[in-house]
Amino acid sequence: MKQVVTYYRVSTQDQSVDMQRREIRTYCEGRGLSLGQEFSDEGISGAKSSRPGLDALLRDVRRRRVSTVVVWSLSRLGRSLKNLRAIVEE
């Protein structure tokens, strides 16, 4: 069973990552993927390039501790194409 990590983000404190988490868990279970560490940022805009959860995830990617990341939507990673491209290239 291949292990993956997840990243969740919501823009405001009034929102919750619960729906993203639930749908990703269902997706992974249906494909035989084992969930590893979960990274998240709550109440932080995707327009910000530096976010604590995303920064921690990218550190693990750089250290080759992570090979597969599952997100609910690319919009959860970033709001600009330039920012998304930089993350995907990493």
Side-chain angles (χ1 to χ4, degrees):
M1 190 177 268
K2 183 174 184 175
Q3 188 175 60
V4 300
V5 300
T6 58
Y7 177 73
Y8 314 104
R9 184 190 59 78
V10 290
S11 299
T12 68
Q13 292 294 337
D14 297 340
Q15 298 171 314
S16 168
V17 298
D18 292 342
M19 185 268 303
Q20 294 174 41
R21 182 177 285 124
R22 195 171 40 254
E23 289 191 13
I24 285 176
R25 285 180 177 169
T26 299
Y27 172 87
C28 289
E29 287 171 8
R31 285 156 183 78
L33 301 172
S34 170
L35 290 175
Q37 187 169 356
E38 296 180 311
F39 297 88
S40 68
D41 288 303
E42 297 187 49
I44 301 176
S45 170
K48 295 186 179 217
S49 59
S50 180
R51 294 172 253 154
L54 181 62
D55 294 346
L57 167 63
L58 293 176
R59 271 193 302 276
D60 280 358
V61 167
R62 287 180 198 114
R63 293 176 179 151
R64 302 196 184 280
R65 294 180 183 160
V66 172
S67 64
T68 304
V69 178
V70 178
V71 294
W72 183 76
S73 168
L74 284 178
S75 68
R76 302 301 82 203
L77 279 176
R79 298 291 297 257
S80 75
L81 184 56
K82 180 180 177 181
N83 181 241
L84 284 171
R85 181 178 176 199
I87 290 169
V88 170
E89 283 179 351
E90 246 190 276

